[in-house]
């Protein structure tokens, strides 16, 4: 590895910098990829150590390396016994340049990796791609601008290295005298013309490196700017080949046909700082919807099931296959679980076309079969004409349809949907709900849906799972959960807008002080009941008591909120059924009533004339704990 005698400083610098960058590129990538997953003290300590060569004085860094690698140093002595001596040799110039260039490579790649959509790699693994394929097909292509910038910065830094090289390699003309050392020697000898000649070469090389940095960074910014690719003409983009589908493409057939049994069972525990997650479920329902407030652990549950995060303890079993068992030390990687994931932001691979996105999880199939299945799935979601477009050229709805097609084409045993439609407007959302319902029903793929939309949960889920703070609150058929939520939190999450604490006046008599109402019940309630709920859409407003109503109270209107199809009316009961005013004389909390616009318009004259009657149908009172 010793350089030829008599090499010029320019050649020595170019060779040393090139080899140094080739050494630090893979090391910097591995370090950045590992550190980006760390947090807290661990992350801060790693940054401190890896960036230290950037802030330490070069002579100090060179002195430390000299003590480590010298003939009697802890690393130099074993190397000397093997016949290897680095100090004051040309390889020492490479090592010096690599040490000082490494922090720039590491930090540039770390910034580039942290700008990646965190869902891309997880989705790719859920589609059956192993870590190497994810790195090769997803991670590396998306960080190429950052890698190019890191290479350019590192090369410029390696070319300009002086202090560390002087300490470790010495200033030996023709062997270790790089450009900075040659400039130093020329100035020391009073040869300013030669010093200026070497300086001009350094400035030229560094200018080229910095120009490349700007080029790569501008390319990276353009690739992240929304709509940049979409604004371009499709014909200006590379058009990857797409095989023509057969004349009658065969739609993909799921291994879980609608008539085949489905079984999901798990009991999981996990901790995140102060958040404790403990959830267990055993179900054969093929369409399960999960409701819960933000931070309840809904997305965490999906990550645990998909294998994107490891539980602290527990077990996961799907259709008789054990995916995770802490006691047995069994943990199948995401690519072997046959669980597809569809996220809120669709997480399409931006550098791949629609067809390539959809076919990403079919790499194990023969090419002809792969293209046939992609073509059939694109036809199912109505995206045949967009097959060669890139994600940035699609509308929001088309992007979601692409993500759905990509998940379904692999025929997974389970499809996890993490609020996939929350970013869509109302019209597009309803259309996509219908498409999702049709496609999952046709394919027979079981779904586990996380959503904040109660209508979406009711429409796409046959059973509801309500969780809060990592704990299961309610699980059952959707109608049962809506009609008998059982707990205050569940009632609120399922859309109950009128909830009040109650006091017992007798075995079958309750008082709701904040409403100023007394309630007479047909039978005694459990002693654990502390609140009652009234669903706004089940209440009625009328000019006179409605026959068959379980309760009716005179009330006055205190507010009206009009929507395009429904009107929400706020009413206050005039007095309790016993005729007594609210104790203490405080304000009574309004009760919300949701009416159709036609029903409210029909009440117009009666509402203007005087008090109305608030009617509650039989079975409309929700006892809550």
């Amino acid at each position: 590895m010793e350089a030829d005698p008599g090499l010029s400083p320019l050649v020595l610098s170019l060779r040393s910098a090139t080899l140094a960058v080739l050494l630090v590129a893979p090391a910097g990538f591995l370090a950045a990829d590992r550190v980006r997953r760390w947090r807290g003290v661990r992350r801060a300590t790693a940054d401190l150590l890896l960036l230290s060569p950037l802030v330490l004085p070069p002579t100090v860094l060179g002195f430390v390396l000299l003590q480590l690698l010298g003939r009697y140093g802890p690393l130099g002595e074993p190397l000397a016994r093997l016949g290897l001596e680095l100090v004051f040799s040309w390889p020492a110039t490479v090592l010096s340049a690599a040490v000082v260039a490494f922090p720039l490579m590491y930090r540039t790649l770390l910034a580039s990796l942290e700008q990646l959509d965190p869902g891309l790699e997880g989705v790719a693994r859920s589609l059956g791609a192993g870590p190497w394929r994810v790195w090769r097909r997803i991670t590396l292509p998306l960080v190429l601008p950052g890698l190019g910038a890191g290479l350019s910065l590192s090369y410029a830094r390696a070319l300009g290295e002086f202090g560390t090289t002087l300490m470790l390699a010495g200033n030996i003309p023709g062997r270790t005298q790089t450009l900075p050392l040659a400039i130093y020697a020329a100035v020391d000898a009073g040869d300013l013309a030669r010093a200026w000649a070497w300086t001009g070469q350094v400035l030229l090389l560094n200018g080229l490196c910095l120009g490349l940095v700007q080029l790569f960074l501008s390319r990276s910014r353009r690739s992240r700017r929304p709509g940049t690719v979409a604004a371009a003409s499709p014909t200006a983009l590379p058009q990857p080949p797409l095989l023509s589908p057969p004349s009658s493409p065969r739609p993909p057939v799921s291994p879980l046909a609608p008539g085949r049994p489905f079984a999901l069972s798990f009991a999981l525990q996990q901790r995140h700082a102060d958040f404790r997650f403990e959830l267990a479920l055993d179900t054969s329902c093929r369409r399960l919807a999960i409701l819960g407030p933000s931070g309840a652990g809904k997305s965490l549950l999906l990550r645990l099931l998909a294998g994107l995060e490891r539980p602290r303890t527990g077990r996961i079993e799907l259709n008789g296959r054990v995916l995770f068992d802490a006691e047995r030390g069994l943990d199948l990687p995401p690519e072997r679980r046959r669980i597809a994931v569809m996220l809120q932001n669709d997480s399409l691979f931006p550098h791949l076309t629609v067809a390539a996105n959809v076919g990403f999880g079919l790499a194990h199939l023969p090419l002809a079969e792969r293209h046939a299945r992609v073509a059939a799935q694109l036809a199912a979601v109505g995206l045949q004409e967009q097959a060669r477009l890139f994600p940035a050229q699609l509308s929001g709805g088309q992007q979601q349809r692409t993500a759905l097609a990509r998940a379904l084409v692999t025929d997974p045993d389970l499809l996890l949907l993490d609020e996939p439609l929350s970013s869509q407007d109302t019209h597009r959302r309803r259309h996509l709900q219908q498409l999702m319902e049709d496609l999952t029903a046709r394919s027979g793929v079981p779904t586990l849906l996380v959503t904040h939309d109660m209508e979406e949960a009711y429409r796409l889920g046959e059973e509801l799972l309500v969780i809060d703070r990592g704990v299961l609150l309610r699980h059952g058929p959707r109608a049962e959960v809506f009609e008998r939520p059982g707990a205050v939190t569940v009632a609120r999450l399922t859309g109950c807008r009128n909830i009040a604490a109650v006091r017992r006046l007798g075995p079958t008599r309750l008082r709701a002080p904040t409403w100023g109402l007394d309630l007479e019940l047909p039978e005694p309630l459990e002693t654990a009941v502390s609140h009652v709920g009234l669903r706004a859409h089940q209440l009625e407003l009328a000019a006179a008591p409605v026959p068959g109503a379980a309760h009716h109270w005179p009330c006055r209107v205190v507010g009206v909120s009009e929507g395009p199809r429904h009107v929400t009316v706020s009413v206050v009961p005039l007095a309790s059924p016993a005729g007594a005013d609210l104790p203490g004389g405080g304000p009574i909390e309004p009760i919300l009533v949701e009416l159709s616009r036609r029903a409210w318009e029909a009440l117009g004259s009666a509402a203007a004339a005087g008090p109305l009657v608030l009617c509650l149908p039989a079975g409309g009172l929700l006892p809550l704990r």
Side-chain angles (χ1 to χ4, degrees):
M1 191 176 176
E2 191 72 29
D4 296 330
L7 289 179
S8 71
L10 174 62
V11 175
L12 279 171
S13 292
L14 292 176
R15 290 180 62 177
S16 300
T18 301
L19 284 175
V21 168
L22 291 177
L23 288 174
V24 301
F29 202 110
L30 291 174
D33 187 53
R34 177 61 61 88
V35 172
R36 68 164 167 152
R37 307 175 196 276
W38 294 346
R39 295 293 180 269
V41 177
R42 193 181 189 187
R43 168 71 176 266
T45 304
D47 259 341
L48 179 65
L49 293 175
L50 295 175
L51 294 176
S52 58
L54 191 63
V55 295
L56 285 175
T59 52
V60 172
L61 187 60
F63 176 75
V64 172
L65 291 175
L66 183 62
Q67 296 304 303
L68 289 173
L69 297 170
R71 178 180 294 273
Y72 302 108
L75 298 179
E77 188 174 358
L79 291 175
R81 285 199 297 266
L82 296 174
L84 300 175
E85 190 167 343
L86 292 178
V87 175
F88 303 121
S89 66
W90 178 70
T93 66
V94 177
L95 179 61
S96 301
V99 170
V100 297
F102 173 82
L104 290 174
M105 177 67 73
Y106 156 73
R107 200 65 189 85
T108 305
L109 283 171
L110 181 62
S112 186
L113 286 168
E114 287 182 327
Q115 289 171 357
L116 286 181
D117 179 351
L120 291 177
E121 292 170 316
V123 167
R125 295 200 67 184
S126 76
L127 293 169
W132 165 246
R133 183 166 181 253
V134 172
W135 182 86
R136 181 172 54 86
R137 291 293 310 278
I138 305 300
T139 308
L140 181 60
L142 293 178
V143 300
L144 274 179
L147 178 60
L151 289 170
S152 302
L153 283 173
S154 300
Y155 199 83
R157 182 66 185 90
L159 284 172
E161 170 46 36
F162 172 78
T164 305
T165 304
L166 182 62
M167 292 291 293
L168 188 64
N171 188 5
I172 307 173
R175 294 182 60 192
T176 67
Q177 190 181 74
T178 57
L179 282 173
L181 295 173
I183 295 171
Y184 173 78
V187 172
D188 188 55
D191 191 349
L192 296 184
R194 182 177 293 274
W196 272 115
W198 296 135
T199 300
Q201 294 180 18
V202 172
L203 291 176
L204 176 62
L205 291 171
N206 277 270
L208 291 174
C209 290
L210 293 177
L212 288 174
V213 170
Q214 292 301 318
L215 175 65
F216 286 120
L217 291 180
S218 63
R219 182 173 299 178
S220 177
R221 286 191 293 268
R222 285 198 303 271
S223 67
R224 293 195 304 271
R225 190 179 303 141
T228 301
V229 181
S233 169
T235 57
L237 295 167
Q239 302 295 320
L242 177 68
L243 293 182
S244 301
S247 56
S248 300
R250 178 177 59 86
V253 178
S254 171
L256 282 174
R260 182 173 174 179
F262 166 76
L264 172 65
S265 174
F266 61 82
L268 301 171
Q269 291 185 3
Q270 181 67 307
R271 271 191 179 178
H272 282 282
D274 296 333
F275 180 76
R276 186 178 180 86
F277 181 91
E278 292 187 20
L279 203 62
L281 180 69
D282 191 347
T283 181
S284 58
C285 178
R286 306 175 70 87
R287 295 169 57 191
L288 186 69
I290 306 175
L291 286 173
S294 297
K298 304 183 300 296
S299 296
L300 174 59
L301 172 60
L302 299 194
R303 290 183 60 81
L304 295 174
L305 293 176
L308 303 179
E309 186 167 335
R310 182 186 175 93
R312 187 176 184 182
T313 60
R315 177 183 171 90
I316 304 172
E317 185 172 331
L318 176 62
N319 300 327
R321 289 194 309 134
V322 178
L323 308 182
F324 175 80
D325 192 328
E327 291 186 359
R328 295 167 51 191
L330 177 63
D331 184 16
L332 286 184
E335 60 269 23
R336 294 179 54 196
R337 295 197 177 194
R338 291 191 53 80
I339 296 179
V341 180
M342 182 176 172
L343 303 178
Q344 177 178 349
N345 60 350
D346 66 60
S347 290
L348 295 177
F349 309 130
H351 59 300
L352 300 181
T353 63
V354 169
N357 263 278
V358 174
F360 183 85
L362 304 178
H364 60 287
L365 297 178
L367 187 62
E369 182 179 355
R370 187 190 318 166
H371 281 282
R373 292 181 66 169
V374 168
Q377 197 67 59
L378 289 176
V381 297
L383 290 175
Q384 307 98 307
E385 300 299 323
Q386 289 77 26
R388 288 190 170 92
L389 300 184
F390 290 86
Q393 295 174 279
L394 305 178
S395 67
Q398 290 172 333
Q399 290 174 354
Q400 293 290 52
R401 281 188 278 156
T402 303
L404 179 61
R406 181 180 63 182
L408 289 176
V409 77
T410 61
D411 293 332
D413 290 349
L414 178 63
L415 173 59
L416 305 180
L417 305 167
D418 193 359
E419 300 191 62
L421 307 181
S422 61
S423 61
Q424 306 298 322
D425 57 58
T426 302
H427 172 73
R428 186 179 291 162
R429 185 171 187 144
R430 299 300 175 236
H431 174 73
L432 289 171
Q433 283 176 359
Q434 183 63 56
L435 177 65
M436 189 176 294
E437 187 176 12
D438 292 344
L439 287 178
T440 54
R442 192 188 319 163
S443 66
V445 174
T447 57
L448 187 59
L449 168 72
V450 165
T451 180
H452 281 98
D453 188 324
M454 289 163 296
E455 290 188 19
E456 187 170 276
Y458 204 93
R459 180 174 184 175
L460 299 179
E462 296 173 357
E463 288 186 1
L464 296 182
L465 184 70
V466 184
I467 65 175
D468 188 21
R469 300 178 184 177
V471 177
L472 176 64
L473 300 179
R474 189 79 164 85
H475 170 225
R478 56 189 176 187
E480 180 181 313
V481 173
F482 272 86
E483 293 170 5
R484 294 187 294 280
V488 171
T489 304
V490 178
R492 287 200 178 102
L493 291 172
T494 55
C496 185
R497 304 171 68 185
N498 303 301
I499 298 176
V502 294
R503 297 200 308 261
R504 294 180 182 271
L505 303 179
T508 60
R509 192 172 178 82
L510 301 175
R511 172 167 292 170
T514 56
W515 291 339
L517 295 179
D518 286 356
L519 306 170
E520 188 68 40
L521 307 176
E523 56 186 29
L525 295 176
E526 298 177 6
T527 56
V529 172
S530 60
H531 292 72
V532 294
L534 304 174
R535 293 203 182 273
H537 69 279
Q538 292 183 330
L539 297 170
E540 296 183 58
L541 283 178
V546 176
H551 296 86
H552 49 81
W553 307 283
C555 64
R556 60 187 176 87
V557 176
V558 295
V560 178
S561 176
E562 298 191 23
R565 291 175 296 178
H566 298 92
V567 177
T568 301
V569 184
S570 301
V571 300
V572 172
L574 297 178
S576 68
D581 293 332
L582 182 65
I588 296 176
E589 183 179 306
I591 297 175
L592 302 180
V593 184
E594 187 177 288
L595 304 173
S596 68
R597 176 171 287 278
R598 180 177 299 178
W600 173 244
E601 291 173 350
L603 276 174
S605 57
L612 296 174
V613 177
L614 177 65
C615 303
L616 177 68
L621 188 70
L622 304 178
L624 305 171
R625 298 183 297 276

